[in-house]
Amino acid sequence: MKLHIVIVEPDEARAKLVIDCLLPLGHQVTVIGEASGLARRVCDIVPDIVLIDMSNPSRDTLEEMALASGPKERPVAFFVDRTDRDLTQQAIEAGVSAYVVDGLQPDRVASVMDAAIARFQMFRRMRVELETTRRALEERKLIDRAKGILMKARGIGEEDAYALLRKTAMDQGRKVAEVAGALVTAAGLLS
């Protein structure tokens, strides 16, 4: 798979070493020489992955990088020469997919990139699944509230209340959760 890669590397010689490793693989590479304004520049370029090489990253760089990853729109691999526990934690919280200490070594770039992409995709799937589960739980709560309103207002059981919600949804070509939401809203206005 051919990728558009952004390399954030202030040292031109080091950037060239990385480019020389990636171009034979058919990737398109863009180099950004400094971290200032990184978020805006990365958003303008819209790369598939961002590789950031900083010998001693600052907290400002991490904040820029967090914005640059969109948040969490693309994989980011961060290469540092040295680090501390707080910086590592901030990088992970900012959405870094790979955090490599001992700097960027051209012979390891492709494998680190593959790992960063795989980890990014795994976390993206988890975020989507979590959001889907949250939405389903909220819909379930809403439906339960609507059933309770119907049970009280009509003096019917839970199964009949759900059947009424379902029939109304089918008749109106809407989802049960939408009908339940409208009922809960209407009941709130009437009480």
Side-chain angles (χ1 to χ4, degrees):
M1 175 169 74
K2 307 304 179 204
L3 302 172
H4 184 183
I5 303 166
V6 163
I7 300 172
V8 180
E9 172 58 76
D11 182 329
E12 289 180 30
R14 283 175 66 148
K16 183 170 176 2
L17 289 173
V18 177
I19 291 169
D20 290 345
C21 289
L22 296 174
L23 287 180
L25 301 174
H27 300 304
Q28 178 184 350
V29 180
T30 303
V31 177
I32 297 176
E34 60 182 65
S36 67
L38 180 61
R40 179 184 45 77
R41 294 169 74 188
V42 168
C43 286
D44 290 345
I45 297 168
V46 192
D48 296 309
I49 185 169
V50 178
L51 307 178
I52 301 174
D53 184 31
M54 296 280 154
S55 57
N56 189 19
S58 68
R59 301 204 186 313
D60 290 341
T61 303
L62 282 174
E63 287 176 18
E64 278 283 329
M65 190 276 310
L67 292 171
S69 64
K72 300 173 182 67
E73 288 180 3
R74 66 189 52 84
V76 176
F78 213 88
F79 298 86
V80 297
D81 288 342
R82 61 182 191 276
T83 190
D84 61 54
R85 183 170 275 155
D86 289 340
L87 204 54
T88 303
Q89 183 67 33
Q90 286 179 353
I92 299 302
E93 289 172 4
V96 170
S97 303
Y99 189 81
V100 181
V101 181
D102 286 336
L104 191 145
Q105 297 175 10
D107 58 331
R108 296 189 316 181
V109 170
S111 59
V112 169
M113 227 172 45
D114 291 343
I117 291 168
R119 181 181 166 126
F120 172 80
Q121 290 171 343
M122 178 187 71
F123 276 108
R124 178 190 283 172
R125 279 191 306 274
M126 287 173 33
R127 282 193 303 272
V128 167
E129 288 173 13
L130 179 60
E131 184 55 37
T132 301
T133 302
R134 282 184 181 154
R135 191 172 28 259
L137 180 59
E138 290 302 316
E139 287 178 358
R140 173 61 30 214
K141 287 179 184 178
L142 195 59
I143 291 168
D144 286 344
R145 285 178 59 199
K147 287 190 306 189
I149 292 167
L150 288 173
M151 290 165 59
K152 184 176 178 182
R154 294 225 172 162
I156 58 177
E158 185 176 353
E159 285 183 27
D160 290 335
Y162 184 74
L164 183 56
L165 283 173
R166 192 177 67 237
K167 180 182 179 333
T168 303
M170 287 176 22
D171 290 347
Q172 295 178 3
R174 297 167 63 190
K175 293 182 177 182
V176 173
E178 291 174 14
V179 171
L183 178 61
V184 168
T185 300
L189 291 173
L190 296 173
S191 62

